Amino acid sequence: MTAPSGGAQTARPTRLPRSARRKQLLAAAQQVFVAHGYHAAAMDDIAEKAGVSKPVLYQHFPGKLELYLALLDTHCDAIIAKVRDAMHATTDNKERVKGAVRAYFDFMDHESEAFRLVFESDLRNDAQVRQRVERVEQGCIAAVTDTIISDTNLSSDQAELLASGLVGAAGQSAQFWLANGRRTPKAEAEALVAALIWRGIASFPLQGGASGGTASEIG
């Protein structure tokens, strides 16, 4: 009697709950998009990185653009939440400024390099991508605007203008710091930018007439 023929059997992908599989696919896609950019990335590469078949990948995301947009949504929501948390974490406005600046520097400095998807996307001309990138700025400005309005006698238009300045300074400085090779230690860079912003915003009076801060408090 002939023995059954041997040979290695092809291992089946581990079955994961849908939410866990989606998280796994997004993590793999992020690595591929960060390394190659949107246009050079291929669904084959993403499936291989995740250790799944292409049909499994397409069960969760109908195409490369949908996968990219899902990643953008995740990271856009994250940075807006970090700035909002900085506003809500304390009633000390100087610490709020430090927290907002730190949120941008942390995002830029994260080992995942997710900032490249938001701030250096090679798909910025796509309306859906551009909408999400603009949502980051608007969401962060809105979080700071609400705090300025609640603490000062400024109008909503004035508060929004100040908030845009704070967010712009924090974001642009963090991008410049990273692009120039982190030549200033991160903590020192954050402190410098926060001090610059605070020196300006502290001059606006709080509700009740008190100033936002004094020269002796700024460092």
Side-chain angles (χ1 to χ4, degrees), residues 19 42 58 67 73 105-106 126 137 142-143 154 157 165 167 183:
S19 60
Y58 281 112
L67 184 51
D73 282 334
F105 274 81
D106 284 348
D126 182 272
E137 182 180 29
L154 296 174
D157 288 341
V167 167
R183 290 180 294 183

Side-chain angles (χ1 to χ4, degrees), residues 75-86:
H75 294 300
C76 290
D77 289 345
I79 191 168
I80 293 171
K82 284 180 179 294
V83 173
R84 188 180 295 116
D85 289 346

Side-chain angles (χ1 to χ4, degrees), residues 13-58:
T14 303
R15 184 176 295 276
L16 295 174
R18 185 171 182 82
S19 60
R21 179 66 77 192
R22 179 182 173 86
K23 185 176 180 180
Q24 176 201 28
L25 295 174
L26 286 172
Q30 179 168 309
Q31 293 181 54
V32 175
F33 284 133
V34 165
H36 303 293
Y38 177 82
H39 293 292
M43 293 293 270
D44 285 320
D45 298 331
I46 295 169
E48 182 179 354
K49 176 69 70 174
V52 301
S53 64
K54 280 182 67 176
V56 169
L57 180 56
Y58 281 112

Side-chain angles (χ1 to χ4, degrees), residues 95-141:
E95 292 303 315
R96 283 169 167 164
V97 169
K98 289 180 179 178
V101 172
R102 187 180 307 115
Y104 273 95
F105 274 81
D106 284 348
F107 185 67
M108 293 293 174
D109 196 43
H110 198 275
E111 62 184 8
S112 69
E113 297 191 345
F115 74 90
R116 297 189 184 281
L117 301 177
V118 179
F119 296 108
E120 297 182 1
S121 173
D122 57 350
L123 201 61
R124 293 288 287 271
N125 289 332
D126 182 272
Q128 295 180 84
V129 172
R130 186 169 61 251
Q131 179 185 44
R132 284 160 171 81
V133 173
E134 291 172 351
R135 183 168 65 83
V136 171
E137 182 180 29
Q138 292 304 316
C140 292
I141 288 174

